[in-house]
Amino acid sequence: MARVSRSAPARPRTTGSALIRKLSRLEKIIARCDGALVAFSGGVDSTFLLSVAKDVLGAELLAVTVSFPAVPRSEVEAAKGLARKLKVKHLVVSADEVAAMKQFRSNPPDRCYHCKKAILSKLVAIAKKRGFPCILEASNRDDMKDYRPGHKAVKELGARSPLVEAGLSKADIRALSKERWLVTWDKPSAACLASRIPYGETITRTKLARIEEGEAFLVSLGFGACRLRHHGTLARIEVPESGMAKLLKGRLRHKIVEKLKALGFRYVTFDLEGYRSGSMNEALMEKQRHGTR
């Protein structure tokens, strides 16, 4: 039988009945697990999933954060703090060997599949060793609309995506996270640093470190949601439309150019389409639409 916490799960105070039904559905899905390991990045989705899982499963829960060169160190530290705040058992495991895999370094269009399969395999081993029958990962309904080859690995290794099963979108998760007083409710979306490098361009630790430091610099200047795309010697900056005027201010613009050139970029460009998740998939999806390779 599933172990359910003694305290009743927190209920939304102002959200609509449809959202409450989705939350109830999520709780029932999690309750079918007699203990679970949650893949925990510390982002909006995984923090919400972990919070609900803590309500439902109580102590029969382990959060696991994977650390490797494509994950910003700041995200790993943030995950540690969130796990402490949620009072959940937490484990950080290294997966540096993934960065050395040919299927990762050569950066094919299905890179995410190979990466996710290698990382989930580590989580499966941990779950078996510690006696957790379920592995939960935090993809949401909106993720199903994008090119996400990693979902194939989730299915192959028997992990569950309860947010998808419950029909929860990103907007739903943010609304429910706000109701639960989770500090991540308005956190900008994050993604693997390798997603900043075009498919086919070799991924190196140097490039990942350059992207990490460059994006951290942009965030320090007040650009919370941003991407630094790495095109060889060219840096392509994406910020939301609301931040475009700020980025182009003379003194700040020169400061950004100076920093990125110091990191090794020869050219620094600004994307007029602005910030958008998964922009590196645009060329790939265009080829698929026209049946070309």
Side-chain angles (χ1 to χ4, degrees), residues 22-35:
K22 289 181 183 180
L23 176 58
S24 178
R25 196 179 308 145
L26 175 64
E27 291 167 350
K28 290 175 182 176
I29 291 167
I30 294 172
R32 296 188 193 114
C33 295
D34 190 13

Side-chain angles (χ1 to χ4, degrees), residues 103-171:
Q103 299 97 323
F104 179 81
R105 293 183 67 257
S106 62
N107 199 13
D110 64 346
R111 177 203 71 238
C112 187
Y113 164 74
H114 299 288
C115 181
K116 194 132 190 173
K117 186 171 184 178
I119 288 173
L120 277 175
S121 294
K122 291 179 77 77
L123 301 190
V124 167
I126 293 169
K128 286 182 178 178
K129 183 177 180 180
R130 301 202 176 205
F132 292 102
C134 291
I135 296 175
L136 308 181
E137 69 91 37
S139 296
N140 65 61
R141 189 186 68 190
D142 295 339
D143 293 330
M144 302 299 106
K145 302 173 185 176
D146 194 8
Y147 174 67
R148 300 289 177 96
H151 292 309
K152 180 182 175 184
V154 173
K155 292 181 179 179
E156 286 180 354
L157 292 172
R160 299 284 298 273
S161 303
L163 302 180
V164 175
E165 294 176 42
L168 286 156
S169 67
K170 192 75 165 188

Side-chain angles (χ1 to χ4, degrees), residues 174-187:
R174 289 191 184 280
L176 288 167
S177 294
K178 188 175 183 181
E179 292 284 354
R180 300 173 77 86
W181 298 95
L182 297 174
V183 295
T184 51
W185 77 270
D186 63 345
K187 182 179 180 177

Side-chain angles (χ1 to χ4, degrees), residues 87-104:
K87 298 180 181 179
V88 172
K89 288 180 289 186
H90 184 223
L91 180 66
V92 177
V93 297
S94 172
D96 279 6
E97 70 278 7
V98 175
M101 287 171 35
K102 180 181 178 182
Q103 299 97 323
F104 179 81

Side-chain angles (χ1 to χ4, degrees), residues 64-75:
V64 179
T65 300
V66 175
S67 172
F68 84 115
V71 177
R73 286 162 292 180
S74 60
E75 291 296 307

